[in-house]
Amino acid sequence: MKVISQFSELDILPRPIAYVPTMGALHPGHYQLLIAAKKYAKNSLLSIFVNPLQFENSSDLINYPDSKDADMELALAAEVDYLWFPKSAELYPDGYQIISAGEMGNIYEGASRPGHFDGMLTVVARYLDLIKPDFMLMGEKDFQQLCIVKKYIEDRDIPTKLIPIPTVRLESGLAYSSRNSRLSESSIRFAAVIFQALVAAANSKDRKEAISKGMEILHKEEKFQLDYFEMIDSSNFQQVAENQLGDRVICAGWIDGVRLIDNLPVPRK
Ligand code: AMP
């Protein structure tokens, strides 16, 4: 594995290259993205950068876990070819202009975290422009993020192929997340309720049944403070009519003050 020390090395990366952008605190979800990257291209590139622009809450940014040594080990285990730790000054030598994530950026996660998706898209757009990766792999775990980036790439005919990777979960169903490290052991157990609610909803006959079944499960867990639980059409991220079936169920909330998000595809009937 080669650690990129000079910004100019990005220009001479061998092709084809599959790129995985992350914010570090790597876990088995990231690992799967890196393993998949090697299947798409001979060379894989991992970046680790805690992007300040996508943190609307400064204490969340300050508390973001930092585990550089463990991250390097995981990257080695995943046979990453190139590892890059971008710096703000390198990314934006002439400053930056915030890129708007549009309407999709203002609902659900975007409504609860104003500016989050604009900040995310600003840095992802910069990565795409600098690296011009043949493939970029992103997790379905952050489904709204994935849909926003997909739209950005499609709208601009950017030649990078975006590869979505299904969510990697603990045995309980809880999705791996860098934020899980801020949960107590008992809260980790309670948090599996999110997955249970999503499964019940995804297997419902329409949105009405999905919401009622999902909420019934979530309400049993007092520690879970709900933000949203919805069945949507992922093409526009809008909720579907009560008697219709969307293609995704999405959920967000807090346990012990830690924000958790998750989603599941609705199986085609
Ligand atoms: P992050 O470091 O949180 O910005 O995540 C970097 C990438 O890893 C994003 O594309 C995430 O969607 C993806 N990711 C995070 N958690 C998981 C997971 N449990 N399973 C699959 N992908 C994930």
Side-chain angles (χ1 to χ4, degrees):
M1 178 168 76
K2 176 157 187 359
V3 178
I4 294 181
S5 55
Q6 301 257 336
F7 193 58
S8 56
E9 289 172 51
L10 290 177
D11 294 337
I12 49 167
L13 288 170
R15 306 281 155 169
I17 196 150
Y19 171 48
V20 178
T22 76
M23 299 203 296
L26 302 181
H27 54 62
H30 298 116
Y31 182 78
Q32 278 314 312
L33 265 65
L34 294 167
I35 295 293
K38 292 290 286 181
K39 294 190 182 133
Y40 280 92
K42 191 165 179 297
N43 307 286
S44 62
L45 166 67
L46 162 66
S47 70
I48 297 183
F49 176 61
V50 182
N51 171 30
L53 297 181
Q54 72 189 69
F55 285 84
E56 74 297 345
N57 172 335
S58 56
S59 81
D60 201 20
L61 173 60
I62 291 161
N63 289 323
Y64 204 80
D66 175 10
S67 53
K68 193 171 176 190
D69 292 344
D71 288 353
M72 300 267 284
E73 262 178 51
L74 187 140
L76 275 173
E79 299 186 7
V80 166
D81 297 289
Y82 295 89
L83 172 57
W84 178 37
F85 295 99
K87 294 180 190 59
S88 288
E90 290 177 334
L91 288 172
Y92 315 111
D94 308 317
Y96 56 81
Q97 273 206 315
I98 290 286
I99 294 182
S100 168
E103 268 173 48
M104 221 192 271
N106 294 327
I107 50 179
Y108 299 112
E109 275 312 282
S112 292
R113 305 185 61 190
H116 165 68
F117 286 123
D118 295 347
M120 175 281 296
L121 196 56
T122 301
V123 81
V124 170
R126 192 77 188 117
Y127 293 152
L128 287 168
D129 192 37
L130 285 168
I131 300 162
K132 300 187 173 47
D134 301 277
F135 301 91
M136 181 164 75
L137 293 92
M138 297 184 90
E140 290 185 2
K141 160 76 170 45
D142 300 284
F143 191 65
Q144 197 171 350
Q145 164 175 287
L146 182 72
C147 293
I148 288 169
V149 172
K150 181 168 176 265
K151 184 168 186 318
Y152 179 83
I153 288 178
E154 282 172 1
D155 286 354
R156 284 157 189 80
D157 278 331
I158 294 172
T160 297
K161 196 158 168 25
L162 181 65
I163 312 287
I165 300 295
T167 304
V168 182
R169 301 175 179 282
L170 286 101
E171 219 170 296
S172 67
L174 175 65
Y176 279 103
S177 162
S178 307
R179 291 210 165 95
N180 293 357
S181 65
R182 282 156 54 187
L183 292 172
S184 66
E185 256 180 54
S186 65
S187 293
I188 294 247
R189 280 198 301 278
F190 298 138
V193 74
I194 301 173
F195 178 67
Q196 291 153 14
L198 288 170
V199 171
N203 291 302
S204 298
K205 67 173 191 320
D206 55 21
R207 171 170 166 259
K208 187 172 182 203
E209 185 182 293
I211 305 296
S212 115
K213 283 191 170 173
M215 295 295 249
E216 194 186 324
I217 294 172
L218 290 174
H219 280 141
K220 283 189 201 145
E221 186 43 77
E222 280 175 15
K223 278 193 123 185
F224 184 72
Q225 196 194 329
L226 180 70
D227 184 2
Y228 57 79
F229 188 86
E230 198 46 90
M231 178 174 265
I232 57 149
D233 170 350
S234 66
S235 67
N236 53 14
F237 239 84
Q238 297 295 318
Q239 66 182 48
V240 294
E242 280 200 333
N243 61 351
Q244 280 182 350
L245 205 55
D247 62 357
R248 206 89 192 179
V249 277
I250 57 173
C251 178
W254 296 265
I255 290 188
D256 289 345
V258 179
R259 185 174 179 83
L260 298 174
I261 62 168
D262 201 352
N263 68 87
L264 272 185
V266 174
R268 283 192 195 181
K269 302 280 181 322

